[in-house]
Amino acid sequence: MSAEREVWREALGVVLATSAYGVSFGALAVASGLDVWQACVLSLLMFTGGSQFAFVGVFAAGGVSALPSAIASAVLLGVRNVAYGMRMAPIVGTTPARRVVAAPFTIDESTAVAISQDDPRLRRVGFWVTGVGIFLGWNLTTLIGALVGDVLGDPRSWGLDAAAAAAFLALLWPRLKERQAIAVGIAAAIVAAALTPMLMPGLPVLVAAVVAVVVGWFDWLGRKPSLRVVDDGGAL
């Protein structure tokens, strides 16, 4: 299998797993009191799964009076996409027009697939296939979930809430080859899990990202540079 076909297969696997979870969002959005068209507009314009679930979760708990909190939670979760944008800017293109077009598709999944590739061209393929594919699939499954949510029952009983996480784990696992990478992942996961019951949606993710940056920046568990003896007897 060629390298490009492998990227396409990897990207489409993530597209299918993440898009399937859109059914859950559509069903939960309608169950929370939104109309079908409101659920679809959220997916079309917001298009970031974590923020959308946070919005409908807070809205379901407090109704219209909770809209400010729902919006704040969605914004906090969406802040991470700014970091993705900075990371992906040199990959998607150097012109402002290309970056503007790429902005809506700069999400967790498209970033993960892109940076898992070594070749710059394959990174672009992974980004666009994943981003555009999920955009189309997520909006389609949101509509399906909103229309047939009552028939599906509790979406979690279908295991759809684990599909996206499983796709991320499949992308992450091959990269966990060094102690430092493992330490970053474990530290961020522990912090996010510990803070989730105590903080409003969005904040645990941001705090975990800061922890990951700190652990990664100092490279506490990384390999130490070894001494190399050269011909003149010196050491580097």
Side-chain angles (χ1 to χ4, degrees):
M1 180 178 295
S2 67
E4 184 167 339
R5 288 186 63 186
E6 179 65 24
V7 174
W8 270 83
R9 189 180 70 169
E10 183 177 296
L12 291 177
V14 175
V15 168
L16 292 175
T18 306
S19 297
Y21 197 23
V23 175
S24 179
F25 171 74
L28 291 175
V30 172
S32 300
L34 299 179
D35 295 332
V36 172
W37 72 269
Q38 290 173 327
C40 292
V41 167
L42 272 179
S43 285
L44 184 64
L45 300 181
M46 188 178 289
F47 185 51
T48 170
S51 296
Q52 293 178 228
F53 279 102
F55 181 90
V56 298
V58 176
F59 179 78
V64 177
S65 61
L67 274 179
S69 298
I71 294 173
S73 298
V75 170
L76 284 173
L77 274 170
V79 166
R80 71 190 189 281
N81 287 6
V82 176
Y84 296 156
M86 292 186 292
R87 178 67 177 85
M88 298 306 298
I91 295 176
V92 300
T94 56
T95 64
R98 289 183 180 179
R99 293 180 180 178
V100 169
V101 173
F105 309 116
T106 306
I107 54 177
D108 303 286
E109 294 83 359
S110 61
T111 301
V113 173
I115 64 176
S116 67
Q117 313 305 322
D118 296 323
D119 183 82
R121 184 182 66 84
L122 296 180
R123 287 184 172 185
R124 288 191 293 271
V125 172
F127 173 84
W128 287 109
V129 173
T130 307
V132 176
I134 292 178
F135 180 82
L136 297 175
W138 182 267
N139 280 278
L140 176 61
T141 54
T142 294
L143 175 61
I144 294 173
L147 291 174
V148 301
D150 293 337
V151 177
L152 290 174
D154 186 355
R156 290 172 295 185
S157 65
W158 294 80
L160 295 178
D161 53 334
F168 269 109
L169 183 60
L171 289 173
L172 177 64
W173 190 261
R175 302 178 69 84
L176 298 180
K177 297 179 180 178
E178 298 183 359
R179 291 178 299 174
Q180 181 64 17
I182 296 173
V184 170
I186 292 176
I190 291 175
V191 170
L195 295 180
T196 295
M198 297 180 288
L199 300 179
M200 67 183 299
L203 284 178
V205 174
L206 297 181
V207 176
V210 172
V211 171
V213 169
V214 171
V215 176
W217 179 270
F218 287 101
D219 197 23
W220 289 318
L221 298 177
R223 295 179 179 177
K224 304 298 182 183
S226 58
L227 295 178
R228 179 168 58 87
V229 179
V230 295
D231 292 340
D232 61 359
L236 297 178

